[in-house]
Amino acid sequence: MARGSILVVGGGIGGLAAAIAVQQKGFDTTVVELHPDVRSSVHGVGIIQPMNALRALDMIGCAQDCIAAGYPARRWGGLYSTDGTFIKEMPGTPVPGVDLPPMNGLTRPKLHAILTSHALEAGVTLRYSTTFTELEDDGAGVDVTFTDGSAGRFDVVVGADGVHSRTRGHVVEGEVAPSYIGQSAYRVNIPLLPEIDSIILQAGPAGMAGLVPIGKDLAYLFYNAHMAKQSPGSGMDSAGKLREYLAPFGGLMGRIRDEFVTDDRDIVLRPEESLIVDAPWHRSRVVLMGDAVHAITPHLGQGAAQAIEDGVVLADCLDGHDDPEAAFAEYTDRRFERCKLVVDTSLDIAEWEMGRKPGFDNIAATDHVLEVMAQPL
Ligand SMILES: Cc1cc2nc3c(=O)[nH]c(=O)nc-3n(C[C@H](O)[C@H](O)[C@H](O)COP(=O)(O)OP(=O)(O)OC[C@H]3O[C@@H](n4cnc5c(N)ncnc54)[C@H](O)[C@@H]3O)c2cc1C
């Protein structure tokens, strides 16, 4: 496409990655973000960056900063029983010709700071506390008015505004909403112990507990709890509830529960929501990406990875076509099946964890997804 202007709605992981990628291709890029500063859209504690996330970040020059700020692991992880007995090694799948670790753990604030500084260095304009009020797409461009009263015309609008996207309504007919899968994720930061050298999974009787290294002296504990969706602010006695869920666990998880799961304020509880929007992911000059079209539950640590890949592929497609609609069609073609596999397999693992899919082999399913993710974008 002739180099023009792009508005990215949403300055989360996917929106910032896309903004860096398209700006590097020569597009004049603006990001509007609802929240007031770089850290305010960062929920939670840490993030798993699988090899394919690092590969995509490498393509926009951000991988080495993430590795330097995080914990690059020598393997994907290991599976242990509820009592802490070792069951199985999970090496991860190497990408041929790519020298990156199978997994990097990182705090979300550090990831956001890295993406933000790369976006600014590339020349992206970031506007906080701002969103659109109107999008008027006339087929040759999009007239946008903003909440601060300003207005502008853009060649392309990218909806990267997350699972409850408002941009989605400009692309998709009818009501499309994510569904709560019946699990919520507890997460809490803990000191890094020597045993946490990769993702440590301990399968419990009613949910999966895990440990993820995210820095030289920091890790986080997660537990996927089968529970009704909590209303915001109902996190009373989170530490007590999490300790109850973790009561059956021995080994490392039991030790960490007793020593570190003590303070409600440290604990983040997030509902797990799932969504895959049917193609096409665009209408005229507005295109969607990330959780706005494929909200992925955390079971494979792939949601943000897919959002970053979306941004890189979208930039490549816009670079290769004069007609934005042809670029968007190629983008959806290259992304849809890959994202759907991750959405569906994450849900399968959730169903198995909740006891609704007996006999399901979650390790084989994880290995399969990692193998597919190692294939070219
Ligand atoms: C418990 C949990 C754990 C997870 N762990 C991992 C993991 O380890 N690894 C991994 O890869 N993924 C993980 N994910 C998934 C990952 O967090 C998401 O897939 C990823 O953040 C999606 O990025 P996004 O940019 O599409 O959306 P978001 O990160 O949601 O960003 C959307 C941004 O848009 C902004 N916004 C919203 N509406 C508007 C608007 N109207 N105008 C302007 N701005 C707007 C928001 O403030 C936000 O900054 C996890 C998810 C959950 C729930």
Side-chain angles (χ1 to χ4, degrees):
M1 197 180 122
R3 299 298 172 254
S5 56
I6 296 187
L7 174 69
V8 178
V9 180
I13 298 169
L16 289 173
I20 298 166
V22 290
Q23 182 79 26
Q24 286 176 346
K25 297 286 186 195
F27 294 91
D28 181 16
T29 311
T30 301
V31 177
V32 284
E33 165 56 46
L34 265 185
H35 285 98
D37 59 52
V38 57
R39 295 195 59 164
S40 55
S41 70
V42 179
H43 298 286
V45 286
I47 192 149
I48 294 168
Q49 298 191 302
M51 160 74 90
N52 57 302
L54 295 171
R55 174 179 57 187
L57 286 166
D58 204 33
M59 291 172 179
I60 54 170
C62 299
Q64 293 307 328
D65 284 354
C66 291
I67 290 167
Y71 185 106
R74 277 198 292 272
R75 61 171 188 172
W76 173 260
L79 179 67
Y80 296 76
S81 65
T82 314
D83 68 7
T85 308
F86 175 73
I87 299 176
K88 200 172 189 306
E89 187 80 15
M90 301 170 75
T93 308
V95 178
V98 175
D99 183 23
L100 291 166
M103 196 290 289
N104 184 55
L106 185 65
T107 69
R108 284 182 183 248
K110 281 185 180 163
L111 173 58
H112 241 69
I114 290 166
L115 291 173
T116 302
S117 73
H118 278 262
L120 292 172
E121 266 167 38
V124 171
T125 303
L126 291 180
R127 293 172 62 183
Y128 293 106
S129 303
T130 309
T131 187
F132 66 90
T133 50
E134 304 279 339
L135 295 182
E136 285 293 334
D137 182 343
D138 61 18
V142 189
D143 290 312
V144 184
T145 52
F146 296 101
T147 38
D148 62 3
S150 62
R153 184 169 171 83
F154 297 86
D155 294 299
V156 163
V157 172
V158 179
D161 46 351
V163 65
H164 300 289
S165 167
R166 200 154 69 82
T167 318
R168 196 163 56 218
H170 290 263
V171 172
V172 181
E173 296 280 355
E175 189 61 28
V176 175
S179 44
Y180 178 63
I181 66 160
Q183 283 185 318
S184 293
Y186 281 95
R187 286 175 295 168
V188 57
N189 279 349
I190 55 168
L192 183 71
L193 305 181
E195 298 92 323
I196 311 172
D197 62 351
S198 59
I199 303 171
I200 305 295
L201 295 176
Q202 263 184 260
M208 184 68 82
L211 301 163
V212 182
I214 49 173
K216 286 170 189 56
D217 51 11
L218 198 64
Y220 73 87
L221 177 158
F222 71 81
Y223 181 73
N224 289 334
H226 185 178
M227 62 196 283
K229 190 172 178 178
Q230 306 289 293
S231 51
S234 62
M236 300 290 284
D237 193 24
S238 305
K241 288 205 177 103
L242 179 53
R243 272 201 309 275
E244 268 175 44
Y245 282 118
L246 295 176
F249 288 86
L252 185 58
M253 198 65 68
R255 181 148 61 86
I256 288 171
R257 171 199 61 222
D258 295 342
E259 270 184 57
F260 301 114
V261 182
T262 49
D263 191 338
D264 289 349
R265 284 167 307 178
D266 298 339
I267 293 172
V268 178
L269 179 63
R270 285 279 307 276
E272 297 179 9
E273 295 180 299
S274 183
L275 172 76
I276 180 90
V277 172
D278 288 338
W281 285 350
H282 75 279
R283 182 190 286 180
S284 187
R285 293 200 166 233
V286 183
V287 65
L288 301 172
M289 61 169 293
D291 277 14
V293 270
H294 49 69
I296 296 168
T297 57
H299 303 83
L300 290 160
Q302 279 285 344
Q306 294 308 307
I308 296 165
E309 286 189 357
D310 284 350
V312 170
V313 173
L314 181 60
D316 191 41
C317 295
L318 284 168
D319 191 38
H321 289 272
D322 286 334
D323 171 17
E325 290 211 57
F328 299 154
E330 185 195 329
Y331 154 73
T332 312
D333 240 35
R334 284 168 62 179
R335 298 300 303 150
F336 184 81
E337 288 303 331
R338 190 175 170 95
C339 295
K340 187 169 185 320
L341 172 73
V342 178
V343 170
D344 291 348
T345 311
S346 301
L347 272 180
D348 284 343
I349 296 174
E351 289 290 298
W352 167 75
E353 285 182 3
M354 289 185 278
R356 297 173 185 158
K357 221 176 166 65
F360 178 75
D361 186 344
N362 74 310
I363 301 299
T366 302
D367 285 345
H368 173 63
V369 168
L370 291 177
E371 272 164 31
V372 175
M373 294 306 117
Q375 291 165 13
L377 283 180

